[in-house]
């Protein structure tokens, strides 16, 4: 990490300030008489106050050197002119420059104390009523409350932006609530690491064996493991992990868990021969999903006779003849409440989905098509000729600033007005999203779930697609026959070989699949860069923006972090007419390909036709079209959706010339270059290799270590995910 530079001085002026997130650009007059530009999250900053800022120097292309604040200490102004500047800046609602001058002239250096503790004295000023005095005092106290919260957090080296989040969640009482229970900082709203919050709480003198600490440790373990894909944890594992986390006896962890069970924050249920412990919302999602799937299954309508005639007509109209499994799938869609269609590349999933769409039309059914990501939805639209949208958009997703949770407009109270829903790339759908989708379906709605069961599971909690298939409760059609035309593709042949545990054929005479052996990471990187910069554009006619580099890992020379730096320099080098912005160690430039790395439900976007919406999601890829000359914002085009990003939102995006295989799930690219070098053992598995190969549509080039590739193909190790959906569905079929 770079060494921090410290400057102390008085705020001279505010250049820019975002009231919602606290991002600020200001001029600081240092004690040496130098004016320094400071940028960062400095909520409520105002001229006249004193700052001690520690940060790192960044060079802005247009504005030169500026200090990005990392640590911050601030004190209120002390002399009369500084107090006047501070008050007249608008920090106190109802006080402008004229009123500020009158107040300061009357009360001098005691002004700020008067505003906070004795506001009734303001009535001594002509024209200030008792009501007006109280309004001014209320605004000032609110402002000071946020400042004190920031000061409190700063003692523990926590960023000022946390104060904004806490204030939104808990209002004016946020500081007292955090003092009473610092573990609030580790909840879903703030997301501070438990170890940081725990150290903070212990330094404040909280009881190391108290309920607040132990219950926070239990919920942290459940939340942490949710991020690893688990819906629940078996009670013994949860107790042992909690005891280890806080170095206490297991009996204390048991006591804390039982308290959470009594409060209903955690739910315990005997599932699949284990005592399963859930966070309440995940238990609700799983139980609801199972019940609603059963309800849809019970509402089957047998129209198979009509389906036979319709399918014959569809084949004639489209000039095709379905394979037996394809025809079976289309027939089942007519008479089954829930249908799963799964198969690998080249097995005819798209043709089958088109047939189902045509059949539903002939049956007079209204239908909607959806997928988990924008890219997958766009691809679905192109392949079926029917407009598809993301599941989030279909459900009318929004963000609740009070609860800091996703909410959906479409629920059982306001369901989707449709007769059938078809969802593609189901392997990417996690349990909470699947549960939300089911809640929005009217009784009797047909549900068709399409995907490749051999791809990696969802990033979020659960193993929904696999659980549904393995439950045996849902009609499932496995498309296993690779069609003759698809068999001509070495990409598809090799993908199926990998799925069977065989290594891909590593030769260069296969047409659309090439292997370049490089057993050294540096040579691998240089080859990948050369392929993207020159060889593929010049020799194969594939532009660089239609090539996606994939790698199993973020770390190391062949990881995305290093590859993105190299590819950015090769494909979008620095030029005088291209603006840049630096965020930490990452440089963003006009023309860069970037990716959203976490869900942001507040981003507003607009299409060329004027359609507007909100939300950018983990994995969305766009291109920086413009960077503001002041460096305060940038414009990004996400596949036709134009969005504005303020500079402080750059912690949510990353360069996307190279992506991890996990991030690329659900997307398809004209050409893929895969950097295949040894990485963490958990990433060197068959599912990662299979998913990488199936991302390429026309051309796949694997560059790297042949031994690593063979090891991945042979390693079918799958991390077990604790999920009860399969058990609930199978259990319900037994009538228990």
């Amino acid at each position: 990490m770079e060494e921090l530079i410290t400057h102390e001085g008085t705020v001279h002026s505010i250049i820019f300030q975002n009231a919602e997130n606290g991002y600020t650009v200001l001029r600081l007059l240092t004690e040496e008489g130098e004016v320094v530009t400071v940028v960062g999250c400095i909520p409520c900053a105002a001229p006249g106050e004193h700052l001690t800022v520690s940060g790192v120097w960044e060079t802005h292309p247009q504005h030169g050197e500026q200090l990005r604040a990392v640590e911050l200490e601030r004190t209120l102004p002390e002399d009369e002119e500084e107090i006047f500047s501070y008050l007249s800046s608008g920090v106190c609602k109802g006080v402008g420059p004229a009123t500020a001058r009158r107040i300061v002239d009357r009360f001098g250096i005691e002004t700020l104390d008067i505003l906070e503790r004795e506001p009734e004295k303001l009535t001594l000023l002509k024209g200030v009523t008792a009501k007006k005095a109280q309004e001014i005092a209320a605004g000032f106290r609110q402002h000071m409350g946020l400042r004190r919260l920031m000061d409190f957090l700063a003692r523990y080296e926590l960023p000022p932006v946390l104060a904004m989040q806490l204030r939104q969640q808990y209002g004016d009482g946020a500081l007292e609530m955090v003092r009473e229970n610092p573990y609030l900082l580790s909840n879903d709203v703030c997301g501070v690491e438990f170890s940081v919050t725990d150290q903070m709480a212990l330094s404040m003198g909280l009881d190391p064996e108290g309920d607040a600490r132990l219950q926070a440790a239990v919920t942290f373990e459940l939340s942490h493991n949710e991020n690893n894909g688990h819906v629940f944890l078996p009670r013994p594992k949860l107790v042992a992990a909690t005891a280890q986390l806080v170095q206490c006896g297991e009996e204390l962890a048991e006591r804390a868990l039982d308290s959470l069970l009594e409060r209903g924050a955690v739910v315990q249920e005997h599932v699949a021969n284990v005592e399963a412990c859930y966070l309440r919302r995940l238990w609700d999602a799983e139980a609801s999903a199972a019940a609603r799937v059963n309800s849809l299954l019970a509402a089957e309508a047998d129209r198979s006779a009509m389906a036979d005639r319709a399918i014959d007509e569809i084949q004639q109209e489209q000039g095709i003849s379905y394979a037996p499994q394809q025809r079976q799938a289309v027939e089942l869609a007519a008479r089954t409440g829930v249908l799963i269609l799964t198969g690998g590349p080249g097995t005819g999933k798209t043709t089958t989905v088109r047939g189902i769409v045509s059949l539903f039309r002939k049956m007079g059914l209204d239908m909607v098509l959806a997928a988990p990501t924008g890219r997958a939805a766009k691809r679905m639209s192109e392949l079926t000729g029917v407009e598809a949208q993301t599941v989030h958009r279909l459900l009318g997703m929004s963000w609740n600033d009070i609860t800091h949770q996703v909410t959906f407009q479409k629920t059982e109270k306001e369901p989707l007005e449709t007769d059938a829903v078809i969802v593609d790339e189901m392997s990417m759908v996690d349990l909470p999203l699947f549960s939300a989708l089911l809640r929005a379906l009217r009784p009797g709605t047909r549900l068709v779930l399409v995907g490749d069961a051999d791809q990696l599971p969802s990033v979020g909690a659960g193993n929904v697609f696999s659980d549904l298939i393995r439950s045996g409760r849902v009609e499932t059609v496995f498309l296993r026959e690779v069609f003759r035309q698809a068999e001509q593709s070495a990409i598809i042949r090799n993908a199926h070989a990998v799925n069977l545990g065989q290594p891909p054929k590593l030769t260069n005479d296969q047409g659309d699949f090439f292997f370049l052996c490089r057993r050294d990471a540096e040579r691998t990187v240089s080859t990948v860069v050369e392929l993207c910069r020159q060889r593929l554009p010049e020799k194969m006619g594939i532009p660089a923006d239609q090539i996606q580099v994939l790698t199993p890992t973020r770390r190391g020379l062949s990881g995305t972090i290093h590859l993105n730096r190299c590819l950015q320099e090769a494909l979008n080098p620095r030029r005088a007419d291209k603006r840049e912005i630096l965020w930490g160690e990452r440089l963003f430039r006009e023309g860069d390909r970037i990716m959203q790395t976490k869900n942001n439900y507040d981003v507003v976007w607009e299409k060329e036709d004027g359609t507007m919406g909100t939300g950018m999601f983990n994995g969305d890829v766009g291109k920086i079209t413009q960077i503001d000359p002041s460096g305060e914002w940038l414009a990004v085009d996400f596949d036709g959706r134009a969005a504005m990003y303020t500079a402080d939102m750059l912690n949510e995006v990353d360069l996307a010339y190279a992506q991890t295989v996990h991030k690329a799930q659900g997307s398809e690219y004209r050409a893929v270059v895969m950097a295949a070098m040894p990485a963490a053992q958990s990433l060197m598995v068959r599912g990662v290799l299979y998913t990488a190969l199936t991302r390429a549509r026309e051309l796949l080039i694997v560059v790297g270590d042949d031994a690593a590739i063979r090891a991945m193909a042979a390693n079918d190790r799958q991390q077990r995910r604790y999920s009860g959906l399969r058990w609930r569905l199978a259990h319900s079929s037994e009538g228990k």
Side-chain angles (χ1 to χ4, degrees), residues 375 544-545 547-550 560 563-565 567-568 571 588 592-597 619-623 638 653-660 663 669:
R375 287 207 155 201
D545 61 5
I547 304 167
Q548 183 60 57
V549 175
L550 299 181
T560 57
L563 273 169
N564 270 318
R565 289 176 186 153
L567 289 164
Q568 180 191 45
L571 303 178
F588 296 97
D592 274 338
R593 190 191 308 175
I594 64 170
M595 172 188 284
Q596 185 79 23
T597 57
D620 284 349
V621 175
K623 181 179 180 180
F638 288 93
V653 299
D654 206 348
L655 294 173
Y657 298 101
Q659 297 179 29
T660 62
K663 289 288 189 186
Y669 310 96

Side-chain angles (χ1 to χ4, degrees), residues 277-496:
C277 295
Y278 296 78
L279 290 170
R280 163 64 66 176
R281 57 183 168 77
L282 290 178
W283 183 86
D284 286 343
E286 187 176 274
S288 170
R292 291 174 187 279
V293 168
N294 283 325
S295 176
L296 292 174
L297 290 171
E300 295 180 2
D302 189 351
R303 302 188 190 180
S304 53
M306 180 272 179
D308 281 337
R309 293 193 302 273
I311 292 170
D312 291 338
E313 292 174 5
I314 292 167
Q315 288 185 129
Q316 285 184 342
E317 291 166 2
Q318 298 183 1
I320 58 173
S321 179
Y322 293 127
Q325 290 170 328
Q326 290 178 306
R327 185 177 184 110
Q328 178 194 12
V330 181
E331 288 176 352
L332 283 171
R335 59 182 176 85
T336 306
V338 186
L339 172 67
I340 291 174
L341 176 65
T342 183
T347 58
K349 288 198 302 292
T350 299
T351 300
T352 308
V353 171
R354 285 198 200 105
I356 292 172
V357 168
S358 297
L359 177 64
F360 284 171
R361 279 178 173 157
K362 287 183 178 292
M363 294 171 66
L365 301 179
D366 291 329
M367 77 192 98
V368 292
L369 276 59
T373 67
R375 287 207 155 201
K378 183 179 179 182
R379 182 164 148 257
M380 192 182 190
S381 299
E382 293 167 351
L383 294 175
T384 62
V386 178
E387 183 183 358
Q389 55 192 309
T390 65
V391 180
H392 290 87
R393 188 177 176 202
L394 176 69
L395 299 179
M397 179 265 343
S398 62
W399 178 250
N400 188 315
D401 284 326
I402 297 174
T403 63
H404 281 259
Q405 290 182 343
V406 178
T407 60
F408 295 102
Q409 177 188 348
K410 297 297 181 181
T411 64
E412 60 272 22
K413 294 179 181 178
E414 187 184 341
L416 291 165
E417 298 291 330
T418 187
D419 302 312
V421 176
I422 303 175
V423 184
D424 197 9
E425 295 291 353
M426 260 303 295
S427 62
M428 297 180 67
V429 175
D430 61 21
L431 176 65
L433 184 59
F434 184 59
S435 178
L437 173 64
L438 292 172
R439 285 182 62 202
L441 302 185
R442 297 181 301 189
T445 302
R446 298 165 187 273
L447 181 61
V448 179
L449 307 174
V450 185
D452 186 342
D454 295 310
Q455 284 189 30
L456 296 168
S458 59
V459 174
N463 207 359
V464 172
F465 199 44
S466 176
D467 282 353
L468 290 169
I469 293 170
R470 292 185 300 142
S471 73
R473 289 275 291 138
V474 182
E475 288 279 12
T476 302
V477 177
F478 295 88
L479 300 179
R480 293 190 171 94
E481 178 187 351
V482 179
F483 289 94
R484 188 175 303 168
Q485 184 177 356
E487 271 188 332
Q488 297 172 5
S489 165
I491 295 173
I492 291 175
R493 291 198 306 272
N494 280 309
H496 284 279

Side-chain angles (χ1 to χ4, degrees), residues 5-289:
I5 306 298
T6 300
H7 278 289
E8 189 172 349
T10 303
V11 176
H12 179 267
S13 58
I14 304 296
I15 307 303
F16 172 81
Q17 189 161 63
N18 185 320
E20 291 185 4
N21 56 36
Y23 182 76
T24 302
V25 181
L26 60 81
R27 301 272 193 259
L28 185 72
L29 179 61
T30 70
E31 294 181 338
E32 293 78 24
E34 180 185 3
V35 177
V36 174
T37 301
V38 179
V39 300
C41 182
I42 315 174
C44 305
E49 69 174 303
H50 297 272
L51 294 184
T52 301
V53 182
S54 296
V56 293
W57 285 114
E58 298 176 343
T59 302
H60 189 278
Q62 280 72 45
H63 302 288
E65 283 195 318
Q66 50 191 30
L67 190 69
R68 180 168 60 82
V70 176
E71 298 173 2
L72 193 70
E73 289 182 20
R74 51 201 296 181
T75 55
L76 290 169
E78 296 173 352
D79 68 38
E80 291 187 11
E81 281 309 304
E82 288 176 350
I83 292 172
F84 166 72
S85 296
Y86 186 70
L87 270 188
S88 63
S89 67
V91 299
C92 189
K93 190 175 180 181
V95 177
T99 305
R101 173 55 68 192
R102 292 167 60 209
I103 294 173
V104 174
D105 285 348
R106 179 69 175 81
F107 300 109
I109 61 173
E110 296 180 354
T111 293
L112 301 184
D113 284 335
I114 296 292
L115 286 172
E116 188 166 18
R117 296 184 179 88
E118 300 177 274
E120 62 277 3
K121 288 187 176 181
L122 293 175
T123 58
L124 297 173
L125 298 172
K126 186 178 179 181
V128 178
T129 64
K131 182 182 178 182
K132 177 72 171 175
Q134 290 304 321
E135 287 175 353
I136 292 173
F140 187 70
R141 284 172 184 153
Q142 190 176 50
H143 170 78
M144 290 304 298
L146 184 58
R147 281 188 59 109
R148 290 197 175 99
L149 180 56
M150 286 188 291
D151 291 342
F152 174 78
L153 296 174
R155 289 182 222 158
Y156 302 98
E157 299 182 353
L158 293 171
V161 70
L162 271 181
M164 308 289 289
Q165 295 168 341
L166 288 164
R167 172 74 164 278
Q168 279 186 323
Q169 177 77 353
Y170 303 115
D172 293 340
L175 178 56
E176 288 310 310
M177 294 184 70
V178 173
R179 277 183 169 144
E180 289 176 14
N181 183 8
Y183 295 103
L184 291 173
L185 296 172
S186 290
N187 65 13
D188 292 340
V189 177
C190 301
V192 177
E193 279 290 331
F194 180 83
S195 58
V196 175
T197 310
D198 194 40
Q199 187 177 8
M200 174 181 174
L202 294 175
S203 72
M204 293 167 61
L206 266 72
D207 183 359
E209 295 186 355
D211 287 343
R213 182 177 190 237
L214 298 175
Q215 290 178 24
V218 172
T219 53
F220 168 78
E221 284 294 343
L222 289 171
S223 297
H224 175 74
N225 281 281
E226 178 189 354
N227 293 331
N228 292 329
H230 300 297
V231 180
F232 68 80
L233 285 182
R235 182 178 176 115
K237 286 183 178 289
L238 175 58
V239 168
T242 301
Q244 183 178 11
L245 178 67
V246 293
Q247 297 294 296
C248 73
E250 290 196 1
E251 67 282 357
L252 289 174
E254 294 264 12
R255 186 188 73 191
L257 174 55
D258 288 338
S259 296
L260 289 166
L261 291 171
E262 288 176 16
R263 281 173 37 207
V266 174
V267 177
Q268 182 174 306
E269 185 179 359
H270 191 78
V271 172
N273 297 320
V274 300
E275 290 302 322
C277 295
Y278 296 78
L279 290 170
R280 163 64 66 176
R281 57 183 168 77
L282 290 178
W283 183 86
D284 286 343
E286 187 176 274
S288 170

Side-chain angles (χ1 to χ4, degrees), residues 393 603-615 640-644:
R393 188 177 176 202
V603 177
V604 178
W605 51 261
E606 183 176 6
K607 292 184 177 180
E608 286 186 2
D609 63 5
T611 304
M612 297 186 70
T614 59
R641 293 173 298 159
M644 302 291 288

Side-chain angles (χ1 to χ4, degrees), residues 601-714:
Y601 305 96
D602 296 325
V603 177
V604 178
W605 51 261
E606 183 176 6
K607 292 184 177 180
E608 286 186 2
D609 63 5
T611 304
M612 297 186 70
T614 59
M616 288 296 169
F617 303 103
N618 189 350
D620 284 349
V621 175
K623 181 179 180 180
I624 299 176
T625 56
Q626 183 183 0
I627 295 177
D628 170 49
S630 67
E632 293 163 10
W633 56 263
L634 54 160
V636 187
D637 176 37
F638 288 93
D639 279 332
R641 293 173 298 159
M644 302 291 288
Y645 277 60
T646 53
D648 61 297
M649 294 163 66
L650 291 177
N651 65 331
E652 298 179 359
V653 299
D654 206 348
L655 294 173
Y657 298 101
Q659 297 179 29
T660 62
V661 177
H662 281 83
K663 289 288 189 186
Q665 202 174 348
S667 296
E668 190 179 68
Y669 310 96
R670 182 179 176 187
V672 167
V673 177
M674 181 185 180
M677 293 296 292
Q681 194 62 34
S682 61
L683 299 172
M684 303 302 288
V685 295
R686 185 182 303 169
V688 172
L689 180 59
Y690 175 76
T691 302
L693 301 187
T694 53
R695 298 309 90 207
R697 187 169 66 247
E698 293 182 19
L699 178 68
L700 174 67
I701 301 180
V702 180
V703 183
D705 188 332
D706 52 337
I709 297 165
R710 291 189 176 95
M712 291 177 78

